[in-house]
Structures are given as structure tokens and as C-alpha cells.
Coordinates of all heavy atoms in Angstrom, one line a residue:
M222 N 0.8 -1.2 0.0 CA 0.0 0.0 0.0 C 0.9 1.2 0.0 O 1.8 1.4 0.8 CB -0.9 0.0 1.2 CG -1.8 1.1 1.3 SD -3.0 0.9 2.7 CE -2.7 2.4 3.6
Q223 N 0.7 2.1 -0.9 CA 1.5 3.3 -1.1 C 0.7 4.5 -0.5 O -0.4 4.9 -1.0 CB 1.8 3.5 -2.6 CG 2.7 4.6 -2.9 CD 3.1 4.7 -4.4 OE1 2.4 4.0 -5.2 NE2 3.9 5.5 -4.7
L224 N 1.3 5.1 0.5 CA 0.6 6.2 1.1 C 0.9 7.5 0.4 O 0.1 8.5 0.5 CB 1.0 6.3 2.6 CG 0.6 5.1 3.5 CD1 1.1 5.2 4.9 CD2 -0.9 4.9 3.4
I225 N 2.1 7.7 -0.1 CA 2.5 8.9 -0.8 C 2.8 8.6 -2.3 O 3.6 7.6 -2.6 CB 3.9 9.5 -0.2 CG1 3.6 9.8 1.3 CG2 4.4 10.6 -1.0 CD1 4.8 10.4 2.0
D226 N 2.2 9.3 -3.2 CA 2.4 9.1 -4.6 C 3.5 10.1 -5.0 O 3.3 11.3 -5.2 CB 1.2 9.4 -5.4 CG 1.3 9.2 -6.9 OD1 2.3 8.6 -7.3 OD2 0.5 9.7 -7.6
P227 N 4.8 9.6 -5.3 CA 5.8 10.5 -5.6 C 5.7 11.1 -6.9 O 6.4 12.0 -7.3 CB 7.1 9.6 -5.5 CG 6.6 8.3 -5.6 CD 5.2 8.2 -5.1
N228 N 4.8 10.6 -7.8 CA 4.6 11.1 -9.1 C 3.7 12.3 -9.2 O 3.4 12.9 -10.3 CB 4.1 10.0 -10.1 CG 5.2 9.0 -10.3 OD1 6.4 9.3 -10.3 ND2 4.8 7.8 -10.4
H229 N 3.1 12.6 -8.0 CA 2.1 13.8 -8.0 C 2.9 15.1 -8.2 O 4.0 15.3 -7.8 CB 1.4 13.8 -6.5 CG 0.3 14.8 -6.6 ND1 0.4 16.1 -6.4 CD2 -1.0 14.5 -6.7 CE1 -0.8 16.6 -6.4 NE2 -1.7 15.7 -6.6
P230 N 2.4 15.9 -9.0 CA 3.1 17.2 -9.4 C 3.4 18.1 -8.1 O 4.4 18.8 -8.3 CB 2.1 17.9 -10.3 CG 1.0 17.0 -10.6 CD 1.1 15.9 -9.7
A231 N 2.7 17.9 -7.1 CA 3.0 18.7 -5.9 C 4.5 18.4 -5.3 O 5.1 19.3 -4.7 CB 2.0 18.6 -4.8
Y232 N 4.9 17.2 -5.6 CA 6.2 16.8 -5.0 C 7.4 17.1 -5.9 O 8.5 16.6 -5.7 CB 6.2 15.3 -4.6 CG 5.1 15.0 -3.6 CD1 4.3 13.9 -3.9 CD2 5.0 15.6 -2.4 CE1 3.2 13.6 -3.0 CE2 4.0 15.3 -1.5 CZ 3.2 14.3 -1.8 OH 2.2 14.0 -0.9
R233 N 7.2 17.8 -7.0 CA 8.2 18.0 -8.0 C 9.4 18.9 -7.5 O 10.5 18.8 -7.8 CB 7.6 18.6 -9.3 CG 8.5 18.5 -10.5 CD 7.8 18.9 -11.8 NE 6.7 18.0 -12.0 CZ 5.5 18.4 -12.5 NH1 5.4 19.7 -12.8 NH2 4.6 17.6 -12.7
R234 N 9.0 19.9 -6.6 CA 10.0 20.8 -6.1 C 10.6 20.2 -4.9 O 10.0 19.6 -4.0 CB 9.4 22.1 -5.7 CG 8.8 22.8 -6.9 CD 8.3 24.3 -6.6 NE 8.0 25.0 -7.8 CZ 6.7 25.2 -8.1 NH1 5.8 24.8 -7.3 NH2 6.5 25.9 -9.2
V235 N 12.0 20.4 -4.8 CA 12.7 19.8 -3.7 C 12.3 20.4 -2.3 O 12.3 19.8 -1.3 CB 14.2 20.0 -4.0 CG1 15.1 19.6 -2.8 CG2 14.6 19.3 -5.2
W236 N 12.1 21.8 -2.3 CA 11.7 22.4 -1.0 C 10.5 21.8 -0.4 O 10.3 21.8 0.8 CB 11.8 23.9 -1.2 CG 10.7 24.5 -2.0 CD1 10.6 24.7 -3.3 CD2 9.3 24.9 -1.4 NE1 9.4 25.3 -3.7 CE2 8.6 25.3 -2.5 CE3 8.7 24.8 -0.2 CZ2 7.2 25.8 -2.4 CZ3 7.4 25.3 -0.1 CH2 6.7 25.7 -1.2
V237 N 9.5 21.4 -1.3 CA 8.3 20.9 -0.8 C 8.5 19.6 -0.1 O 8.0 19.3 1.0 CB 7.2 20.8 -1.9 CG1 6.0 20.0 -1.4 CG2 6.9 22.1 -2.5
R238 N 9.3 18.7 -0.8 CA 9.6 17.4 -0.2 C 10.4 17.6 1.1 O 10.2 16.9 2.1 CB 10.4 16.6 -1.2 CG 9.5 16.2 -2.5 CD 10.2 15.4 -3.4 NE 11.0 16.3 -4.3 CZ 12.3 16.0 -4.8 NH1 12.8 14.9 -4.5 NH2 12.8 16.9 -5.6
A239 N 11.3 18.5 1.2 CA 12.1 18.6 2.3 C 11.3 19.2 3.4 O 11.5 18.9 4.6 CB 13.4 19.6 2.0
L240 N 10.4 20.1 3.1 CA 9.5 20.6 4.2 C 8.6 19.6 4.8 O 8.5 19.6 6.1 CB 8.5 21.8 3.6 CG 7.7 22.4 4.5 CD1 8.4 23.2 5.5 CD2 6.7 23.3 3.8
I241 N 8.1 18.7 4.0 CA 7.2 17.6 4.5 C 8.1 16.7 5.5 O 7.6 16.4 6.6 CB 6.7 16.8 3.3 CG1 5.6 17.6 2.7 CG2 6.0 15.5 3.9 CD1 5.2 17.0 1.3
V242 N 9.3 16.3 5.1 CA 10.1 15.5 5.8 C 10.5 16.2 7.1 O 10.4 15.7 8.3 CB 11.3 14.9 5.1 CG1 12.3 14.2 6.0 CG2 10.9 14.1 3.9
G243 N 10.9 17.4 7.0 CA 11.3 18.2 8.1 C 10.3 18.5 9.2 O 10.5 18.4 10.4
L244 N 9.0 18.7 8.7 CA 7.9 18.9 9.6 C 7.6 17.6 10.4 O 7.4 17.7 11.6 CB 6.7 19.4 8.9 CG 6.7 20.8 8.5 CD1 5.4 21.1 7.7 CD2 6.7 21.7 9.7
C245 N 7.7 16.6 9.7 CA 7.4 15.3 10.4 C 8.4 14.9 11.5 O 8.1 14.6 12.6 CB 7.2 14.1 9.4 SG 5.8 14.1 8.4
L246 N 9.7 15.1 11.1 CA 10.8 14.8 12.1 C 10.8 15.9 13.2 O 11.1 15.5 14.3 CB 12.1 14.7 11.3 CG 12.2 13.5 10.3 CD1 13.5 13.6 9.6 CD2 11.9 12.2 11.0
G247 N 10.5 17.1 12.8 CA 10.5 18.2 13.8 C 9.4 17.9 14.8 O 9.6 18.2 16.1
W248 N 8.2 17.5 14.4 CA 7.1 17.2 15.3 C 7.5 16.0 16.1 O 7.2 16.0 17.3 CB 5.9 16.9 14.5 CG 4.6 16.8 15.3 CD1 4.0 15.8 15.9 CD2 4.0 18.0 15.9 NE1 3.0 16.2 16.7 CE2 3.0 17.5 16.7 CE3 4.1 19.4 15.7 CZ2 2.0 18.4 17.3 CZ3 3.2 20.2 16.4 CH2 2.2 19.7 17.1
A249 N 8.1 15.0 15.6 CA 8.6 13.9 16.4 C 9.6 14.3 17.5 O 9.5 13.9 18.7 CB 9.4 12.8 15.6
A250 N 10.5 15.2 17.2 CA 11.4 15.8 18.2 C 10.6 16.6 19.3 O 10.9 16.4 20.5 CB 12.4 16.7 17.5
L251 N 9.7 17.3 18.9 CA 8.8 18.0 19.9 C 8.1 17.0 20.8 O 8.0 17.3 22.0 CB 7.8 18.9 19.2 CG 6.9 19.7 20.0 CD1 7.6 20.9 20.7 CD2 5.7 20.2 19.2
E252 N 7.6 15.9 20.2 CA 6.8 15.0 21.1 C 7.8 14.3 22.0 O 7.4 14.0 23.2 CB 6.1 14.0 20.2 CG 5.0 14.5 19.3 CD 3.8 14.9 20.1 OE1 3.7 14.6 21.4 OE2 3.0 15.6 19.6
F253 N 9.0 14.0 21.6 CA 9.9 13.3 22.5 C 10.4 14.3 23.7 O 10.5 13.9 24.8 CB 11.2 12.8 21.7 CG 10.9 11.6 21.0 CD1 11.1 11.5 19.6 CD2 10.5 10.3 21.6 CE1 10.9 10.3 18.9 CE2 10.4 9.2 21.0 CZ 10.5 9.2 19.6
I254 N 10.5 15.6 23.3 CA 11.0 16.5 24.2 C 9.8 16.8 25.3 O 10.2 16.9 26.5 CB 11.3 17.9 23.6 CG1 12.6 17.7 22.8 CG2 11.4 19.0 24.6 CD1 13.0 18.9 21.9
T255 N 8.6 16.8 24.9 CA 7.5 17.0 25.8 C 7.2 15.7 26.6 O 6.2 15.8 27.4 CB 6.3 17.6 25.1 OG1 5.9 16.7 24.1 CG2 6.6 19.0 24.5
G256 N 7.8 14.6 26.3 CA 7.5 13.4 27.0 C 6.5 12.5 26.6 O 5.9 11.8 27.4
D257 N 6.2 12.6 25.3 CA 5.2 11.7 24.8 C 5.8 10.8 23.7 O 5.7 11.1 22.5 CB 4.0 12.5 24.2 CG 2.7 11.7 24.2 OD1 2.8 10.4 24.4 OD2 1.7 12.3 23.8
P258 N 6.5 9.7 24.1 CA 7.2 8.8 23.1 C 6.3 8.1 22.0 O 6.7 7.9 20.9 CB 7.9 7.9 24.0 CG 7.3 7.8 25.2 CD 6.6 9.1 25.4
F259 N 4.9 7.8 22.4 CA 4.2 7.1 21.5 C 3.9 8.0 20.2 O 4.2 7.5 19.0 CB 2.7 6.8 22.1 CG 1.9 6.2 21.1 CD1 1.9 5.0 20.8 CD2 0.8 6.9 20.7 CE1 1.0 4.3 19.9 CE2 -0.2 6.4 19.7 CZ 0.0 5.1 19.4
W260 N 3.5 9.2 20.4 CA 3.3 10.1 19.2 C 4.7 10.5 18.6 O 4.7 10.7 17.4 CB 2.6 11.4 19.6 CG 1.1 11.0 20.0 CD1 0.6 11.1 21.3 CD2 0.1 10.6 19.1 NE1 -0.7 10.7 21.2 CE2 -1.0 10.4 19.9 CE3 0.0 10.4 17.8 CZ2 -2.2 9.9 19.4 CZ3 -1.1 9.9 17.2 CH2 -2.3 9.7 18.1
G261 N 5.7 10.5 19.4 CA 7.1 10.7 18.8 C 7.5 9.6 17.9 O 8.0 9.9 16.7
V262 N 7.2 8.4 18.2 CA 7.6 7.3 17.3 C 6.7 7.3 16.0 O 7.2 7.1 14.9 CB 7.4 5.9 18.1 CG1 7.5 4.8 17.2 CG2 8.5 5.9 19.1
L263 N 5.4 7.6 16.3 CA 4.6 7.7 15.0 C 5.0 8.8 14.1 O 5.0 8.6 12.9 CB 3.1 7.9 15.4 CG 2.4 6.7 16.1 CD1 0.9 7.1 16.5 CD2 2.3 5.5 15.2
S264 N 5.3 10.0 14.6 CA 5.7 11.1 13.8 C 7.1 10.7 13.1 O 7.3 11.1 12.0 CB 5.8 12.4 14.6 OG 4.6 12.7 15.2
A265 N 7.9 10.1 13.9 CA 9.2 9.8 13.3 C 9.1 8.8 12.2 O 9.7 8.8 11.2 CB 10.3 9.3 14.4
G266 N 8.2 7.9 12.4 CA 8.0 6.9 11.4 C 7.4 7.5 10.1 O 7.8 7.1 9.0
A267 N 6.6 8.5 10.3 CA 6.0 9.2 9.1 C 7.1 10.0 8.4 O 7.1 10.0 7.2 CB 4.8 10.1 9.5
G268 N 8.0 10.6 9.2 CA 9.1 11.3 8.6 C 10.0 10.5 7.8 O 10.5 10.7 6.7
V269 N 10.3 9.2 8.4 CA 11.3 8.3 7.7 C 10.6 7.8 6.4 O 11.2 7.7 5.4 CB 11.6 7.1 8.7 CG1 12.3 6.0 8.0 CG2 12.5 7.7 9.9
Y270 N 9.3 7.5 6.5 CA 8.6 7.0 5.3 C 8.5 8.1 4.3 O 8.8 7.7 3.1 CB 7.2 6.5 5.7 CG 6.4 6.1 4.5 CD1 6.7 4.8 3.9 CD2 5.4 6.8 4.0 CE1 5.9 4.4 2.8 CE2 4.7 6.4 2.8 CZ 5.0 5.2 2.3 OH 4.3 4.7 1.2
A271 N 8.3 9.4 4.7 CA 8.3 10.4 3.7 C 9.6 10.5 3.1 O 9.8 10.8 1.9 CB 7.8 11.7 4.4
F272 N 10.7 10.5 3.9 CA 12.1 10.6 3.3 C 12.4 9.5 2.3 O 12.9 9.7 1.2 CB 13.1 10.5 4.5 CG 14.5 10.6 3.9 CD1 15.1 11.7 3.6 CD2 15.3 9.4 3.8 CE1 16.4 11.7 3.0 CE2 16.5 9.4 3.3 CZ 17.1 10.5 2.9
Y273 N 11.9 8.3 2.7 CA 12.1 7.1 1.7 C 11.4 7.3 0.4 O 12.0 7.1 -0.6 CB 11.7 5.9 2.4 CG 11.8 4.6 1.6 CD1 13.0 4.0 1.2 CD2 10.6 4.1 0.9 CE1 13.1 3.0 0.4 CE2 10.7 3.0 0.2 CZ 11.9 2.4 -0.1 OH 12.1 1.3 -0.9
M274 N 10.1 7.8 0.5 CA 9.4 7.9 -0.7 C 9.7 9.1 -1.5 O 9.8 9.1 -2.7 CB 7.8 7.9 -0.4 CG 7.3 6.7 0.1 SD 7.5 5.3 -1.0 CE 6.4 5.8 -2.3
L275 N 10.1 10.2 -0.8 CA 10.2 11.5 -1.5 C 11.7 11.8 -1.9 O 11.9 12.7 -2.7 CB 9.7 12.7 -0.7 CG 8.1 12.6 -0.4 CD1 7.7 13.7 0.4 CD2 7.4 12.6 -1.7
F276 N 12.6 11.1 -1.3 CA 14.0 11.3 -1.7 C 14.7 10.1 -2.1 O 15.3 10.0 -3.2 CB 14.8 11.9 -0.5 CG 14.4 13.4 -0.2 CD1 13.6 13.8 0.8 CD2 15.0 14.3 -1.1 CE1 13.3 15.0 0.9 CE2 14.7 15.7 -0.9 CZ 13.8 16.0 0.2
W277 N 14.6 9.0 -1.4 CA 15.3 7.7 -1.7 C 14.9 7.1 -3.0 O 15.7 6.7 -3.8 CB 15.2 6.8 -0.5 CG 16.2 5.7 -0.5 CD1 16.0 4.4 -1.1 CD2 17.5 5.7 0.0 NE1 17.2 3.7 -1.0 CE2 18.0 4.4 -0.3 CE3 18.2 6.6 0.7 CZ2 19.4 4.1 0.1 CZ3 19.5 6.3 1.1 CH2 20.1 5.1 0.9
T278 N 13.6 6.9 -3.1 CA 13.0 6.3 -4.3 C 12.4 7.2 -5.4 O 11.8 6.7 -6.3 CB 12.0 5.2 -4.0 OG1 10.9 5.9 -3.3 CG2 12.6 4.2 -3.0
F279 N 12.6 8.5 -5.2 CA 12.0 9.5 -6.1 C 12.7 9.5 -7.4 O 13.8 9.7 -7.5 CB 12.1 10.9 -5.4 CG 11.4 12.0 -6.2 CD1 10.0 12.1 -6.3 CD2 12.2 12.9 -7.0 CE1 9.4 13.1 -6.9 CE2 11.6 13.9 -7.6 CZ 10.2 14.0 -7.7
K280 N 11.9 9.4 -8.4 CA 12.3 9.5 -9.8 C 11.5 10.5 -10.5 O 10.3 10.3 -10.8 CB 12.2 8.1 -10.5 CG 13.1 7.1 -10.0 CD 13.0 5.8 -10.7 CE 13.9 4.7 -10.2 NZ 13.7 4.5 -8.8
P281 N 12.0 11.7 -10.7 CA 11.2 12.8 -11.3 C 10.6 12.4 -12.7 O 11.3 11.8 -13.5 CB 12.1 14.0 -11.4 CG 13.5 13.4 -11.3 CD 13.4 12.1 -10.6
Q282 N 9.4 12.7 -12.9 CA 8.7 12.5 -14.2 C 8.7 13.8 -15.0 O 8.6 14.9 -14.3 CB 7.2 12.0 -14.0 CG 7.2 10.7 -13.2 CD 7.8 9.6 -14.0 OE1 7.6 9.5 -15.2 NE2 8.4 8.6 -13.2
P283 N 8.7 13.8 -16.2 CA 8.6 15.0 -17.0 C 7.3 15.6 -16.8 O 6.3 14.8 -16.6 CB 8.9 14.6 -18.5 CG 8.6 13.1 -18.5 CD 8.9 12.6 -17.2
P284 N 7.1 16.9 -17.0 CA 5.8 17.5 -16.9 C 4.8 16.9 -17.9 O 5.3 16.6 -19.0 CB 6.0 19.1 -17.1 CG 7.5 19.2 -16.9 CD 8.1 17.9 -17.2
A285 N 3.6 16.9 -17.5 CA 2.6 16.3 -18.4 C 2.4 17.0 -19.7 O 2.2 16.4 -20.7 CB 1.2 16.2 -17.6
E286 N 2.6 18.4 -19.7 CA 2.4 19.1 -20.9 C 3.5 18.7 -21.9 O 3.3 18.6 -23.1 CB 2.6 20.6 -20.5 CG 1.6 21.2 -19.5 CD 2.2 21.1 -18.2 OE1 3.4 21.4 -17.9 OE2 1.5 20.5 -17.3
A287 N 4.8 18.6 -21.4 CA 5.8 18.2 -22.4 C 5.7 16.8 -22.8 O 6.1 16.5 -23.9 CB 7.1 18.4 -21.6
A288 N 5.2 15.9 -22.0 CA 5.1 14.5 -22.4 C 4.0 14.4 -23.4 O 4.0 13.5 -24.3 CB 4.8 13.7 -21.2
E289 N 2.9 15.2 -23.3 CA 1.8 15.0 -24.3 C 1.9 15.9 -25.5 O 1.1 15.9 -26.4 CB 0.5 15.4 -23.5 CG 0.2 14.4 -22.4 CD -1.0 14.9 -21.6 OE1 -1.7 15.8 -21.9 OE2 -1.3 14.2 -20.6
A290 N 2.9 16.8 -25.5 CA 3.0 17.7 -26.7 C 3.3 16.9 -28.0 O 4.1 15.9 -28.0 CB 4.2 18.7 -26.5
P291 N 2.6 17.1 -29.0 CA 2.8 16.4 -30.3 C 4.2 16.7 -30.9 O 4.6 17.9 -30.8 CB 1.6 16.8 -31.2 CG 1.3 18.2 -30.6 CD 1.6 18.2 -29.2
K292 N 4.7 15.7 -31.5 CA 6.0 16.0 -32.2 C 5.8 16.7 -33.5 O 4.8 16.4 -34.2 CB 6.7 14.7 -32.4 CG 7.1 14.0 -31.1 CD 7.8 12.7 -31.3 CE 8.1 12.0 -30.0 NZ 8.7 10.7 -30.2
P293 N 6.6 17.6 -33.9 CA 6.5 18.3 -35.2 C 6.7 17.3 -36.3 O 7.6 16.5 -36.2 CB 7.4 19.4 -35.2 CG 8.4 19.1 -34.1 CD 7.7 18.3 -33.1
E294 N 5.8 17.2 -37.3 CA 5.9 16.3 -38.3 C 6.9 16.8 -39.4 O 7.0 18.1 -39.6 CB 4.5 16.0 -38.9 CG 3.6 15.4 -38.1 CD 2.3 15.0 -38.7 OE1 2.3 14.9 -39.9 OE2 1.3 14.9 -38.0
E295 N 7.6 16.0 -40.0 CA 8.6 16.4 -41.0 C 7.8 16.7 -42.3 O 6.9 15.9 -42.7 CB 9.6 15.2 -41.2 CG 10.4 14.9 -40.0 CD 11.4 13.8 -40.3 OE1 11.7 13.5 -41.5 OE2 11.9 13.3 -39.3
T296 N 8.2 17.7 -42.9 CA 7.5 18.1 -44.1 C 8.4 17.6 -45.3 O 9.7 17.5 -45.2 CB 7.4 19.6 -44.3 OG1 8.7 20.2 -44.1 CG2 6.4 20.1 -43.2
D297 N 7.8 17.2 -46.4 CA 8.5 16.7 -47.5 C 8.7 17.8 -48.5 O 7.8 18.2 -49.2 CB 7.8 15.6 -48.1 CG 8.4 14.8 -49.2 OD1 9.7 14.9 -49.2 OD2 7.8 14.2 -50.1
P298 N 10.0 18.3 -48.5 CA 10.2 19.5 -49.5 C 10.2 18.9 -50.9 O 11.0 17.9 -51.1 CB 11.5 20.0 -49.0 CG 12.2 19.0 -48.3 CD 11.2 18.1 -47.7
Q299 N 9.5 19.5 -51.8 CA 9.5 19.0 -53.1 C 10.0 20.1 -54.1 O 9.7 21.2 -54.1 CB 8.1 18.5 -53.5 CG 7.9 17.3 -52.8 CD 6.6 16.7 -53.2 OE1 6.0 17.0 -54.2 NE2 6.0 15.7 -52.4

């Protein structure tokens, strides 16, 4: 079961992917500091999973407009 679709156009920018991972791991640190390890482990797991999907296995896809653009046809000069 895939929770994050790395081919979604929202994840194309690096700063968006880094922000998602950073927020998850930052929230985990906050939970550990405040003394709630259960939610800290859950948040850390979400951050690790987000890192794995958005950085480790991420393969950028070309934009849909460029992929669907028709190729110019060759003209036959006579």
C-alpha cells in the first residue's frame, strides 16, 4: 500500500519534499521533548517513510504538458 504518490506534481519541487520530511521529524522531536514517546515514534515513522518515498526512491517525471506535446511532423520538401 502506497501512502505517498511521488509522481504527484506537488512533489516536483525539492523544497516541498524537504518541508514535509522536516515537519514530520521536527514534530517527532517536539513529542519526545515534551515526554510523549508514542506520538514521537509515530511522527518519526511518518518522517522516515516520507524521506524514503520523496528522496530515496523519487524518480522525477517530465511535466505532463511536455510529455503530451505532439512532435512536429517532418515536411517533405519538393
Side-chain angles (χ1 to χ4, degrees):
M222 183 170 122
Q223 186 176 8
L224 298 177
I225 298 176
D226 180 15
N228 295 325
H229 194 277
Y232 302 127
R233 197 170 298 141
R234 294 189 174 105
V235 175
W236 70 268
V237 172
R238 293 181 275 144
L240 182 66
I241 292 169
V242 172
L244 283 175
C245 290
L246 295 178
W248 192 262
L251 178 73
E252 292 292 347
F253 283 120
I254 289 170
T255 59
D257 201 353
F259 175 76
W260 292 108
V262 169
L263 287 180
S264 300
V269 169
Y270 178 74
F272 176 80
Y273 176 75
M274 290 301 292
L275 298 176
F276 285 101
W277 194 267
T278 63
F279 182 74
K280 292 177 181 57
Q282 300 293 324
E286 306 87 48
E289 296 174 5
K292 297 178 182 177
E294 296 185 26
E295 296 180 18
T296 58
D297 186 23
Q299 292 183 14

